[in-house]
Amino acid sequence: HDSTLHIHTSETREEVVNCHEEKGMYPIEYLDSIGYFTDRTVCAHCGWVTKKEMGILANHSAKCVHCPTSNQKLACGGTMSYPAMREAGADVRLGTDGAASNNSLDLRKEAKAASMIQRHDHWDATILDPKEAWMLATKGSKDWVSWDLSDIRMRPIGKDGRRLLANLLYSDAKCMDVFVGGRSIRRNGVTLTLDEGEIAKQLEDSAVEYYRDI
């Protein structure tokens, strides 16, 4: 019972319809019926869930991971309703899904995407303000990142620096330092743990090889 259980669920309408036709229940209901949920269960997407299912997730303190960029890129037709999840008391986090369905593993960009799509979907420009969006992106994390606050994209900073977080979320800035698990993997804008030039070359070579056979 100490293991973390990770599953991608209720991502598409087809998945939900097929589950209901086969099991007579929606995906979250079915998973609940087999005792899948604990407070260490991580559910990616949850884009097509009923209010009853939201309640199930909340009752088990399962982690519900909103992946807005991937959902849009794959044309899933819907994304998680953050206001409804929040009202149900569900524990919502942010995720990128995977590189193949996102093209990025940048949680800052994901926080921006989440804020914008939730506002768009619910016709409410106050949903997921920068502070709340940032909280969803970093909740539970012990890693550390710094950005260049002198970056022109961080201007204007506003009175008492009150626009700094909004600027970072919506405009970006150069990433300077990254520590993961206490280990420095980027310092002063330079990645320390891999050769970016060599990786870029390998990617280009792989692409050439892939398209040669198509």
Side-chain angles (χ1 to χ4, degrees):
H1 293 287
D2 291 332
S3 298
T4 296
L5 299 174
H6 179 77
I7 188 170
H8 292 228
T9 184
S10 303
E11 181 177 359
T12 66
R13 285 176 292 182
E14 181 180 15
E15 169 198 341
V16 170
V17 169
N18 289 345
C19 181
H20 197 271
E21 289 180 348
E22 183 176 334
K23 302 295 184 181
M25 293 176 279
Y26 293 114
I28 301 299
E29 294 176 311
Y30 174 69
L31 291 170
D32 187 39
S33 75
I34 62 173
Y36 188 82
F37 294 116
T38 72
D39 61 356
R40 295 179 64 84
T41 303
V42 178
C43 300
H45 303 295
C46 299
W48 294 90
V49 295
T50 65
K51 288 188 176 181
K52 178 182 178 181
E53 290 178 291
M54 294 178 190
I56 291 172
L57 293 166
N59 289 338
H60 289 289
S61 299
K63 311 301 184 289
C64 311
V65 183
H66 184 24
C67 306
T69 301
S70 171
N71 294 158
Q72 292 176 87
K73 183 181 178 184
L74 298 181
C76 292
T79 58
M80 177 191 293
S81 173
Y82 177 66
M85 281 286 196
R86 183 176 57 188
E87 183 178 352
D91 185 353
V92 178
R93 313 290 179 97
L94 286 182
T96 60
D97 199 8
S101 60
N102 187 306
N103 292 81
S104 173
L105 300 178
D106 187 337
L107 276 173
R108 186 211 61 81
K109 292 180 179 178
E110 210 65 31
K112 175 182 178 179
S115 176
M116 296 180 76
I117 197 168
Q118 291 297 326
R119 294 177 179 201
H120 174 271
D121 285 355
H122 295 89
W123 292 27
D124 185 346
T126 66
I127 294 176
L128 266 185
D129 62 29
K131 183 177 180 180
E132 190 169 13
W134 201 253
M135 182 274 292
L136 294 187
T138 59
K139 188 176 182 181
S141 174
K142 296 181 180 179
D143 300 329
W144 186 80
V145 182
S146 72
W147 287 269
D148 181 3
L149 299 186
S150 67
D151 192 310
I152 188 63
R153 291 170 291 182
M154 293 296 292
R155 295 294 186 270
I157 63 174
K159 183 179 180 181
D160 301 323
R162 65 182 59 181
R163 290 197 54 82
L164 283 172
L165 187 56
N167 290 342
L168 179 60
L169 182 67
Y170 296 118
S171 300
D172 201 4
K174 182 178 180 180
C175 176
M176 299 301 294
D177 307 290
V178 179
F179 288 82
V180 177
R183 180 189 180 197
S184 175
I185 63 173
R186 185 176 178 86
R187 293 296 300 272
N188 297 319
V190 178
T191 302
L192 306 177
T193 55
L194 49 83
D195 185 333
E196 294 182 357
E198 177 59 27
I199 289 176
K201 181 180 182 302
Q202 291 177 16
L203 287 170
E204 294 296 342
D205 291 344
S206 296
V208 170
E209 182 69 23
Y210 174 79
Y211 286 110
R212 182 180 295 127
D213 299 326
I214 295 180

